[in-house]
Amino acid sequence: MPVVKLFYPGDKKLKSIQRRNFFRVPLTVKAVIESEQEQQDVMEIMTKNISAGGIAGSFHHSLLFNEKDSVVVRLSLPNREGALQHLELKGEVVRITDPTSCKVGQLSIKFMDMEKQTKEMMIRYTLKRQIDLRRKGLL
């Protein structure tokens, strides 16, 4: 019987490396990102995944934003019946990967100052989406 011996340094020496507080599910929809600054830059991205804490998306052209920029995210979430739920959420750009010649760029946005009701709706949406994807065998 194989045995593995691990060293435990104690609770005080453990370091948490978890970055996310909410479960992410794959979702591809268009999202409009608008700057909260006075220049009013607007761009469209395709989301890759979504959670109650933020979104990640891809873009093909030059990016109008920098990390730590405050933005407004507008997106429409499809539900099981085919109806769309329109959302406008404040966020902060947390990560940018520039596009290369063979890849698209990636943009991650963390939602900020979300109302409790909206956050609960997003959590319910991601859980329902996870169930639907598992039923289809895609997750």
Side-chain angles (χ1 to χ4, degrees), residues 15-122:
K15 183 173 106 176
S16 175
I17 58 172
Q18 178 179 340
R19 293 188 309 194
R20 293 187 181 95
N21 295 322
F22 300 99
F23 183 75
R24 287 189 177 245
V25 291
L27 179 68
T28 304
V29 295
K30 286 184 183 179
V32 176
I33 314 297
E34 183 177 326
S35 174
E36 282 195 328
Q37 279 68 22
E38 60 274 351
Q39 70 259 27
Q40 293 294 316
D41 290 330
V42 177
M43 71 179 291
E44 196 173 271
I45 66 169
M46 290 300 291
T47 63
K48 294 179 86 177
N49 57 50
I50 189 167
S51 76
I55 63 170
S58 58
F59 61 95
H60 296 281
H61 43 77
S62 61
L63 188 63
L64 302 173
F65 305 107
N66 299 309
E67 289 183 4
K68 299 189 181 198
D69 279 356
S70 294
V71 294
V72 175
V73 179
R74 291 187 183 90
L75 55 106
S76 299
L77 300 177
N79 62 18
R80 290 179 179 170
E81 293 80 35
L84 295 176
Q85 182 156 11
H86 303 287
L87 295 173
E88 184 173 306
L89 305 163
K90 291 183 180 183
E92 178 183 313
V93 178
V94 292
R95 197 172 308 107
I96 298 171
T97 305
D98 291 325
T100 61
S101 59
C102 60
K103 284 187 167 183
V104 296
Q106 291 190 6
L107 173 72
S108 296
I109 297 173
K110 176 174 69 170
F111 296 140
M112 308 294 288
D113 304 326
M114 190 183 296
E115 294 177 7
K116 184 179 178 181
Q117 180 181 8
T118 306
K119 186 173 281 192
E120 289 174 1
M121 185 277 305
M122 292 290 289

